[in-house]
Amino acid sequence: LVTVIIPVYNMEAYLPRCIQSIRTQSYDHLEIILVEDGSSDGSLALCRRFAEDDPRIQVLSNSGKGVSAARNTGLQAAHGAYVFMADSDDYVASHAILDLYAAIQETGADLAIGDFQKGRDAAYEFPPATKKRAQISAQEALRRSYGEDHDRLRYIVPWCKLYKRGLFEQIWYPDGKIFEDIYTTHKLLARCSSIVVV
């Protein structure tokens, strides 16, 4: 089981695309946790509507506590052996979770790191799935987190990764901080025996 955690706050315009991209993953053994953080738009109603249509989805309320608390709430509720995170304005290639899961299974890594494309293009065409992979150490991943902008970001952000759930034991996102990933991801990377980059 893979638990997908999505913090939700005032993202009514993007949320349907995000959730649908998770619901239609080629790897479908998913638990999808939407953590609604007190939105003032129609985000909560959308979350509930999706949960009515898909039994894999649960909606948790985290009213006004912020993105760190939302991620932590999702982690506390997670049942999956693996965790995938998405932000509610993201959308995910249909093969993403399967590719990351397969990479972990084939290499025995603790963490799989994918890639991302920044932009606002609603019609973005994802590239086809790839078998190109590199297995690296925690130390190499930490070194890369100080590299060039795009490549550096993929090692820092919470999304575009599939984590073994146990990596988060005793590690939480800090409440009340912006850029919460900067406080957290390096701790998760340092815990890994090996990491596979897709």
Side-chain angles (χ1 to χ4, degrees):
L1 182 68
V2 172
T3 299
V4 179
I5 299 170
I6 306 173
V8 177
Y9 180 72
N10 286 344
M11 282 291 168
E12 182 178 10
Y14 301 102
L15 194 56
R17 183 180 69 179
C18 173
I19 296 174
Q20 194 59 18
S21 76
I22 299 297
R23 289 179 69 193
T24 56
Q25 287 290 303
S26 52
Y27 186 92
D28 64 357
H29 190 45
L30 303 176
E31 168 187 59
I32 304 166
I33 300 177
L34 307 176
V35 186
E36 210 291 316
D37 197 32
S39 297
S40 58
D41 64 1
S43 293
L44 179 57
L46 279 171
C47 289
R48 289 176 173 160
R49 194 173 320 138
F50 276 106
E52 287 171 7
D53 291 343
D54 192 329
R56 299 174 300 169
I57 296 176
Q58 64 173 303
V59 181
L60 303 179
S61 179
N62 214 50
S63 189
K65 294 182 180 175
V67 69
S68 287
R71 293 194 202 286
N72 293 336
T73 295
L75 286 166
Q76 288 172 323
H79 296 102
Y82 300 91
V83 172
F84 182 88
M85 295 196 189
D87 287 345
S88 49
D89 58 349
D90 296 343
Y91 60 117
V92 183
S94 62
H95 52 78
I97 293 176
L98 179 60
D99 286 356
L100 296 172
Y101 178 77
I104 285 177
Q105 295 306 303
E106 290 168 17
T107 63
D110 298 308
L111 172 67
I113 300 177
D115 203 359
F116 68 93
Q117 177 68 43
K118 291 172 75 172
R120 298 184 180 273
D121 183 359
Y124 178 73
E125 291 291 327
F126 290 104
T130 177
K131 294 287 185 186
K132 188 176 178 184
R133 296 174 183 154
Q135 202 161 357
I136 63 172
S137 67
Q139 290 75 18
E140 176 61 15
L142 287 164
R143 188 191 67 75
R144 291 182 185 188
S145 73
Y146 289 91
E148 295 299 318
D149 186 50
H150 177 91
D151 199 52
R152 173 176 60 86
L153 280 176
R154 72 194 291 204
Y155 293 92
I156 296 172
V157 295
W159 28 267
C160 82
K161 297 177 178 64
L162 186 66
Y163 308 82
K164 283 190 176 176
R165 173 69 183 85
L167 292 174
F168 284 97
E169 198 168 311
Q170 306 293 321
I171 293 178
W172 303 102
Y173 290 94
D175 285 341
K177 300 285 188 186
I178 60 170
F179 304 117
E180 75 287 351
D181 43 10
I182 291 172
Y183 294 87
T184 310
T185 306
H186 66 283
K187 298 175 186 175
L188 298 167
L189 295 176
R191 265 199 181 164
C192 293
S193 298
S194 73
I195 295 167
V196 60
V197 181
V198 178

